[in-house]
Amino acid sequence: MATLPQLIEEDIQRLDGVLRGLLEKSDATTALIIDKGGFLITHQGNAQEFDLTTIAALASGAYMANQTIASLVHETSFNSVYQQGEKFSMFVVNVDEESLLVVIFKAQVGIGVVKYFAAPAVEQI
């Protein structure tokens, strides 16, 4: 797996701005950028309510498992993972070769809204 390029403070500030915009538009609770190895790069939103380090590791694992399933059903890849809960749901989408966007949102917020606003965020990231 490739390693992430070195990020400087200005890069993180730009990424944080994209995440803040995503949260405002989608009414999501928390957004993270993680690498595919499961390491948290940056986040915005409610960090106190969730163990973001563990979520980053497990979300990466879920995404990578999803890629294995894709190959088993003769797909090149699945671009995202959606996990629906009673209180919160989570959407994980591929950004590039090295990173993923994770969005945690209240179950009342529709996945369509999150997907709609995540798409331009992925482009900006």
Side-chain angles (χ1 to χ4, degrees), residues 64-101:
M64 299 312 283
N66 200 38
Q67 295 313 299
T68 302
I69 293 169
S71 68
L72 292 173
V73 297
H74 309 293
E75 282 291 330
T76 307
S77 71
F78 290 150
N79 188 44
S80 63
V81 177
Y82 169 51
Q83 296 177 318
Q84 184 177 6
E86 290 182 28
K87 295 179 185 175
F88 289 95
S89 296
M90 184 176 74
F91 179 62
V92 181
V93 64
N94 186 58
V95 173
D96 57 24
E97 292 177 11
E98 294 91 18
S99 58
L100 302 167
L101 170 64

Coordinates of all heavy atoms in Angstrom, one line a residue, residues 64-101:
M64 N -11.9 -2.1 3.3 CA -11.0 -3.1 2.6 C -11.7 -4.5 2.5 O -11.5 -5.1 1.4 CB -9.7 -3.2 3.3 CG -8.9 -1.9 3.4 SD -8.8 -1.0 1.8 CE -7.5 -2.0 1.0
A65 N -12.5 -4.9 3.5 CA -13.2 -6.1 3.4 C -14.2 -6.0 2.2 O -14.5 -7.0 1.5 CB -13.9 -6.4 4.7
N66 N -14.8 -4.9 2.1 CA -15.8 -4.6 1.0 C -15.1 -4.8 -0.4 O -15.8 -5.3 -1.3 CB -16.4 -3.2 1.2 CG -17.7 -3.0 0.5 OD1 -18.5 -3.9 0.4 ND2 -17.8 -1.8 -0.1
Q67 N -13.9 -4.4 -0.5 CA -13.2 -4.5 -1.7 C -12.9 -6.0 -2.1 O -13.0 -6.4 -3.2 CB -11.8 -3.8 -1.7 CG -12.0 -2.3 -1.6 CD -13.0 -1.7 -2.5 OE1 -12.9 -1.8 -3.7 NE2 -14.1 -1.1 -2.0
T68 N -12.7 -6.8 -1.0 CA -12.5 -8.2 -1.3 C -13.8 -8.8 -1.7 O -13.8 -9.7 -2.6 CB -12.0 -8.9 0.0 OG1 -10.8 -8.3 0.4 CG2 -11.8 -10.4 -0.1
I69 N -14.9 -8.4 -1.1 CA -16.2 -8.9 -1.6 C -16.5 -8.5 -3.0 O -17.0 -9.3 -3.8 CB -17.4 -8.4 -0.6 CG1 -17.2 -9.0 0.7 CG2 -18.7 -8.7 -1.2 CD1 -18.1 -8.3 1.8
A70 N -16.1 -7.3 -3.4 CA -16.3 -6.8 -4.8 C -15.6 -7.8 -5.7 O -16.2 -8.2 -6.8 CB -15.7 -5.4 -4.9
S71 N -14.4 -8.1 -5.4 CA -13.6 -9.0 -6.3 C -14.3 -10.4 -6.4 O -14.3 -11.1 -7.4 CB -12.2 -9.2 -5.9 OG -12.0 -9.8 -4.7
L72 N -14.9 -10.9 -5.3 CA -15.6 -12.2 -5.3 C -16.8 -12.2 -6.2 O -17.2 -13.2 -6.7 CB -15.9 -12.6 -3.9 CG -14.7 -12.9 -3.0 CD1 -15.2 -13.1 -1.5 CD2 -14.0 -14.1 -3.5
V73 N -17.4 -11.0 -6.4 CA -18.6 -10.9 -7.2 C -18.3 -10.3 -8.6 O -19.1 -9.8 -9.3 CB -19.8 -10.2 -6.6 CG1 -20.3 -10.9 -5.3 CG2 -19.4 -8.7 -6.2
H74 N -17.0 -10.4 -8.9 CA -16.4 -10.0 -10.2 C -16.6 -8.5 -10.5 O -16.9 -8.1 -11.6 CB -17.1 -10.8 -11.4 CG -16.9 -12.3 -11.1 ND1 -15.7 -12.9 -11.1 CD2 -17.9 -13.2 -10.8 CE1 -15.9 -14.2 -10.8 NE2 -17.2 -14.4 -10.6
E75 N -16.5 -7.7 -9.5 CA -16.5 -6.2 -9.6 C -15.1 -5.8 -9.4 O -14.3 -6.3 -8.7 CB -17.4 -5.6 -8.6 CG -18.8 -5.6 -8.9 CD -19.3 -4.7 -10.0 OE1 -18.6 -3.7 -10.3 OE2 -20.2 -5.1 -10.7
T76 N -14.7 -4.7 -10.1 CA -13.4 -4.1 -9.9 C -13.2 -3.6 -8.5 O -12.2 -3.8 -7.8 CB -13.1 -3.0 -10.9 OG1 -13.4 -3.5 -12.3 CG2 -11.7 -2.5 -10.8
S77 N -14.3 -2.8 -8.1 CA -14.3 -2.3 -6.7 C -15.7 -1.8 -6.4 O -16.5 -1.6 -7.3 CB -13.3 -1.2 -6.5 OG -13.7 0.0 -7.2
F78 N -15.9 -1.7 -5.1 CA -17.1 -1.0 -4.6 C -16.6 0.3 -4.1 O -15.6 0.4 -3.3 CB -17.8 -1.7 -3.5 CG -18.5 -3.0 -3.9 CD1 -18.7 -4.1 -3.1 CD2 -19.1 -3.1 -5.2 CE1 -19.3 -5.2 -3.5 CE2 -19.7 -4.3 -5.6 CZ -19.9 -5.3 -4.7
N79 N -17.2 1.4 -4.4 CA -16.6 2.8 -4.1 C -16.9 3.2 -2.7 O -16.3 4.0 -2.1 CB -17.2 3.8 -5.1 CG -16.6 5.1 -4.9 OD1 -15.4 5.2 -4.8 ND2 -17.4 6.2 -4.9
S80 N -17.9 2.6 -2.0 CA -18.3 3.0 -0.7 C -18.9 1.9 0.2 O -19.3 0.9 -0.3 CB -19.3 4.2 -0.8 OG -20.5 3.7 -1.4
V81 N -19.0 2.2 1.5 CA -19.6 1.3 2.4 C -20.6 2.2 3.2 O -20.3 3.3 3.7 CB -18.6 0.7 3.4 CG1 -19.3 -0.1 4.5 CG2 -17.5 0.0 2.7
Y82 N -21.8 1.7 3.4 CA -22.8 2.4 4.2 C -23.3 1.4 5.3 O -23.7 0.3 5.0 CB -24.0 2.8 3.3 CG -25.2 3.3 4.0 CD1 -25.2 4.3 4.9 CD2 -26.5 2.7 3.7 CE1 -26.3 4.7 5.6 CE2 -27.6 3.2 4.3 CZ -27.5 4.2 5.3 OH -28.7 4.6 5.9
Q83 N -23.2 1.9 6.5 CA -23.7 1.2 7.7 C -24.8 2.0 8.4 O -24.5 3.1 8.8 CB -22.5 0.8 8.6 CG -21.5 -0.1 7.9 CD -20.3 -0.4 8.7 OE1 -19.7 0.5 9.3 NE2 -19.9 -1.6 8.6
Q84 N -26.0 1.4 8.5 CA -27.1 2.1 9.0 C -27.4 1.6 10.4 O -27.4 0.4 10.7 CB -28.3 1.8 8.1 CG -29.6 2.5 8.5 CD -30.7 2.3 7.6 OE1 -30.6 1.5 6.7 NE2 -31.8 3.0 7.8
G85 N -27.6 2.5 11.3 CA -27.9 2.2 12.7 C -29.2 2.8 13.1 O -29.9 3.6 12.4
E86 N -29.6 2.6 14.4 CA -30.8 3.2 14.9 C -30.6 4.6 15.3 O -31.5 5.5 15.2 CB -31.3 2.4 16.1 CG -31.9 1.0 15.7 CD -32.5 0.3 16.9 OE1 -32.9 0.9 17.9 OE2 -32.5 -1.0 16.8
K87 N -29.4 4.9 15.9 CA -29.1 6.3 16.3 C -28.2 7.0 15.3 O -28.4 8.2 15.0 CB -28.5 6.3 17.7 CG -29.4 5.8 18.8 CD -28.7 5.8 20.1 CE -29.5 5.1 21.1 NZ -28.8 5.0 22.4
F88 N -27.2 6.3 14.9 CA -26.2 6.9 13.9 C -25.9 5.9 12.8 O -26.1 4.7 12.9 CB -24.9 7.2 14.7 CG -24.9 8.3 15.6 CD1 -25.2 8.1 16.9 CD2 -24.8 9.7 15.2 CE1 -25.3 9.2 17.8 CE2 -24.9 10.7 16.0 CZ -25.1 10.5 17.4
S89 N -25.6 6.5 11.7 CA -25.2 5.7 10.5 C -23.8 6.3 10.1 O -23.4 7.3 10.5 CB -26.2 5.9 9.4 OG -27.4 5.4 9.8
M90 N -23.1 5.5 9.2 CA -21.8 5.8 8.8 C -21.7 5.5 7.3 O -22.1 4.5 6.8 CB -20.7 5.0 9.5 CG -19.3 5.4 9.2 SD -18.1 4.6 10.2 CE -18.2 3.0 9.4
F91 N -21.0 6.5 6.6 CA -20.8 6.3 5.1 C -19.3 6.5 4.9 O -18.7 7.5 5.4 CB -21.6 7.4 4.4 CG -21.4 7.4 2.9 CD1 -21.7 6.3 2.1 CD2 -20.8 8.5 2.3 CE1 -21.6 6.3 0.8 CE2 -20.6 8.5 0.9 CZ -21.0 7.4 0.1
V92 N -18.7 5.5 4.3 CA -17.2 5.5 4.0 C -17.1 5.5 2.5 O -17.7 4.6 1.8 CB -16.5 4.3 4.6 CG1 -15.0 4.4 4.3 CG2 -16.8 4.2 6.1
V93 N -16.4 6.5 1.9 CA -16.2 6.6 0.5 C -14.8 6.7 0.1 O -14.0 7.4 0.8 CB -17.1 7.7 -0.1 CG1 -16.7 9.1 0.4 CG2 -17.1 7.7 -1.6
N94 N -14.4 6.1 -1.0 CA -13.0 6.2 -1.4 C -12.7 7.6 -1.9 O -13.5 8.2 -2.7 CB -12.8 5.2 -2.6 CG -11.4 5.1 -3.0 OD1 -10.5 4.8 -2.3 ND2 -11.2 5.4 -4.3
V95 N -11.6 8.1 -1.5 CA -11.1 9.4 -2.0 C -10.1 9.3 -3.1 O -10.2 9.8 -4.2 CB -10.5 10.3 -0.9 CG1 -9.9 11.6 -1.4 CG2 -11.6 10.6 0.2
D96 N -9.1 8.5 -2.9 CA -8.0 8.2 -3.8 C -7.3 6.9 -3.4 O -7.8 6.2 -2.6 CB -7.0 9.4 -3.9 CG -6.4 9.8 -2.6 OD1 -6.3 8.9 -1.7 OD2 -5.9 10.9 -2.5
E97 N -6.1 6.7 -4.0 CA -5.4 5.4 -3.7 C -5.0 5.3 -2.2 O -4.9 4.2 -1.8 CB -4.1 5.4 -4.5 CG -4.4 5.2 -6.0 CD -3.1 5.2 -6.8 OE1 -2.0 5.1 -6.2 OE2 -3.1 5.3 -8.0
E98 N -4.9 6.4 -1.5 CA -4.4 6.3 -0.2 C -5.4 6.6 0.9 O -5.2 6.3 2.1 CB -3.2 7.3 0.0 CG -2.0 7.0 -0.7 CD -2.0 7.7 -2.1 OE1 -2.8 8.6 -2.3 OE2 -1.2 7.2 -3.0
S99 N -6.6 7.3 0.6 CA -7.4 7.8 1.7 C -8.9 7.6 1.4 O -9.3 7.3 0.3 CB -7.1 9.3 1.9 OG -7.3 10.0 0.7
L100 N -9.6 7.7 2.6 CA -11.1 7.5 2.6 C -11.7 8.7 3.3 O -11.1 9.3 4.2 CB -11.4 6.2 3.3 CG -10.8 4.9 2.8 CD1 -11.0 3.8 3.8 CD2 -11.5 4.6 1.5
L101 N -12.9 9.0 3.0 CA -13.7 10.0 3.7 C -14.8 9.2 4.5 O -15.4 8.3 4.0 CB -14.4 10.9 2.8 CG -15.5 11.8 3.4 CD1 -14.9 12.8 4.4 CD2 -16.2 12.6 2.2

